[in-house]
Amino acid sequence: MTNSNYDSELTVLGLPAAKGRWLLIPLGMGVLLCLGTVYSWSIFRKPLETELNLSATESLLPYTVALVFYAASMPIAGFYIPRVGTRRMTAIGGIIVGLGYILASFAAQIQTIILTYGVIAGTGVGIAYGVPMAVVARWFPDKKGLAVGLTIIGFGLSPLITAPLANRLINEYSVRPSLRFLGIIFTIIIVMIALAMKFPPQDWQPPANLANRKSDFQANYPVNMLKSRSFYGLWLCYAIGALIGLSAIGISSPVAEEIIQIEPGLAASSVALFALFNGISRPLFGWLSDRWKPHYLAIGAYTLILIGCLLMVKAEKGAVTSYLVAFCLFWFCLGGWLALAPATTLHFFNPDHYAQNYGIVFTAYGVGALIGTLVTGRIRDWFGTYTYAFYAMAVLAILGIFLASALLKRERSHLSNPS
């Protein structure tokens, strides 16, 4: 049976595969929308601080631990996706996330919340996170970057939807029942969507892309990703982009209140604007990655970060415009990296091993998250202001430009026999 005949018989959610595959993108967005609630942890912090008599540092620990376990479990999950299956992996991740939220709702001590929300829910996020992207990447060999960028927008825009929902639930029912309700809802949604998360048949191509054959791919990809110079270039550039972006996210409101001295309410509402830029950049960078070489996009992102740093180094009391423009750029570039990194992984290395490969690449995000959330606080303690953090970000951005120019370029296989 030819590929074209097989494609005419293959269906996705009741539609011909070439059309039905587009439904997998909003379904994947739905999974990531639930998982992205981890970024809405600030909504739970104040109520928990009051209820459990916690310090600001203590209330931040569940979020920090969740990010670490989210990043740490990604590469492990990537290796098990081909063995366990995409449907089971998505369902397992969703159940573990829901369990973490539900158990956290019964916690009476911060240590228990760190274990339940930070370790358990964070691990669940890492298990399920990579599956929707791996699935759409296989179904869209002709539009890898765009498909992944559109899917991952769910994670970036999650705070715009889940933060107001969580806030309303907390005001209505208090913090513990809210965590329990969200845990139950997330479990149901993710498990239901998991039923649709499946790979296409091996070597499947949409009708318009039949010229691309797997044998062609095998001749063009490095045999071992970890021995490829481009892997280390991608890892370092991703780590720098994540470190800068997550540092900026962590200090968005404090910088507004301490340096620009705007009202706390306005500082908090501006985060919604930043989240919008963070979400928009994901499909944009994904689409661009299908057309431009990644080192050009990386250099562009670092240049935008430099502009933001220059604006904030000179920012003083009342410089609201400079603040808004700078942090829109920071959040925009972080969202860009979260689309550029998986898309570049797809373009540089064998897409059949995408789940495993991106799991390894994603450890760069974990390193950036850990360093970024710790160093900015230290800078504030040492110098008494966040201004000096922007000098450090600028230096890292310049370093990133040099690394991208030298290392972030695709290497091809040197095998004489592609088979």
Side-chain angles (χ1 to χ4, degrees):
M1 182 180 293
T2 65
N3 191 70
S4 58
N5 289 336
Y6 188 67
D7 178 68
S8 65
E9 297 176 3
L10 185 65
T11 61
V12 177
L13 299 172
L15 296 174
K19 294 182 179 179
R21 62 178 180 156
W22 288 96
L23 296 178
L24 295 173
I25 292 177
L27 289 176
M29 287 172 60
V31 172
L32 295 176
L33 192 72
C34 295
L35 302 180
T37 308
V38 68
Y39 285 150
S40 300
W41 177 249
S42 59
I43 301 297
F44 299 99
R45 286 181 65 187
K46 288 297 182 183
L48 286 172
E49 286 174 10
T50 302
E51 188 171 325
L52 301 180
N53 192 28
L54 303 175
S55 67
T57 300
E58 288 175 325
S59 68
L60 184 63
L61 284 175
Y63 169 72
T64 304
V65 172
L67 287 183
V68 171
F69 275 82
Y70 154 40
S73 58
M74 266 278 290
I76 300 172
F79 282 97
Y80 279 98
I81 288 174
R83 296 165 177 81
V84 176
T86 51
R87 291 172 172 175
R88 288 181 182 177
M89 208 68 175
T90 307
I92 290 170
I95 291 169
I96 293 176
V97 168
L99 181 64
Y101 273 81
I102 293 168
L103 292 177
S105 72
F106 294 102
Q109 296 178 327
I110 186 60
Q111 292 85 353
T112 310
I113 297 176
I114 292 171
L115 174 63
T116 53
Y117 182 90
V119 176
I120 297 177
T123 299
V125 172
I127 291 172
Y129 179 85
V131 182
M133 292 189 292
V135 169
V136 299
R138 287 280 194 94
W139 280 105
F140 287 86
D142 51 334
K143 299 179 178 67
K144 298 185 186 78
L146 176 62
V148 170
L150 286 171
T151 304
I152 203 173
I153 195 175
F155 205 85
L157 292 181
S158 180
L160 287 177
I161 298 172
T162 58
L165 172 61
N167 189 53
R168 183 172 180 178
L169 288 171
I170 291 170
N171 292 334
E172 191 80 18
Y173 303 106
S174 79
V175 64
R176 292 169 184 270
S178 300
L179 284 167
R180 197 172 310 139
F181 175 81
L182 290 173
I184 294 170
I185 291 298
F186 292 160
T187 302
I188 293 172
I189 292 174
I190 295 174
V191 170
M192 289 180 63
I193 294 177
L195 298 174
M197 291 290 110
K198 63 177 182 177
F199 286 137
Q202 193 74 10
D203 295 337
W204 181 83
Q205 297 283 337
N209 201 47
L210 290 178
N212 291 330
R213 299 294 183 183
K214 188 176 180 181
S215 59
D216 297 328
F217 288 139
Q218 288 176 330
N220 291 329
Y221 291 108
V223 177
N224 189 327
M225 182 184 76
L226 294 178
K227 293 182 179 179
S228 168
R229 185 179 68 173
S230 56
F231 162 72
Y232 294 98
L234 174 58
W235 195 96
L236 289 170
C237 289
Y238 192 15
I240 291 172
L243 194 159
I244 296 172
L246 291 168
S247 297
I249 283 180
I251 64 176
S252 297
S253 291
V255 164
E257 295 178 32
E258 294 182 20
I259 297 178
I260 312 301
Q261 296 184 22
I262 62 179
E263 295 180 359
L266 179 58
S269 61
S270 64
V271 173
L273 174 65
F274 303 150
L276 182 63
F277 274 80
N278 182 265
I280 290 172
S281 64
R282 298 175 190 227
L284 176 60
F285 270 74
W287 178 77
L288 289 173
S289 70
D290 288 331
R291 289 157 175 79
W292 291 1
K293 293 181 178 179
H295 66 278
Y296 293 141
L297 295 176
I299 292 170
Y302 290 135
T303 301
L304 292 177
I305 288 170
L306 277 174
I307 293 171
C309 290
L310 290 174
L311 288 172
M312 289 310 303
V313 164
K314 298 179 179 180
E316 298 176 348
K317 178 181 177 181
V320 177
T321 301
S322 294
Y323 164 74
L324 291 177
V325 171
F327 275 82
C328 280
L329 291 176
F330 294 142
W331 284 61
F332 179 84
C333 290
L334 176 63
W337 270 109
L338 284 165
L340 179 59
T344 303
T345 303
L346 280 165
H347 289 299
F348 277 11
F349 312 110
N350 193 331
D352 288 345
H353 302 149
Y354 168 72
Q356 302 97 310
N357 290 342
Y358 186 59
I360 296 171
V361 171
F362 193 77
T363 58
Y365 177 92
V367 171
L370 185 60
I371 296 175
T373 54
L374 293 176
V375 170
T376 49
R378 290 291 185 183
I379 290 176
R380 170 68 175 78
D381 293 338
W382 291 335
F383 299 102
T385 177
Y386 284 109
T387 299
Y388 290 96
F390 300 107
Y391 286 100
M393 292 179 190
V395 171
L396 285 172
I398 293 171
L399 175 61
I401 289 174
F402 282 108
L403 288 173
S405 301
L407 301 177
L408 194 57
K409 296 175 182 178
R410 178 176 170 179
E411 293 179 73
R412 294 180 181 272
S413 172
H414 299 294
L415 286 177
S416 59
N417 184 358
S419 63

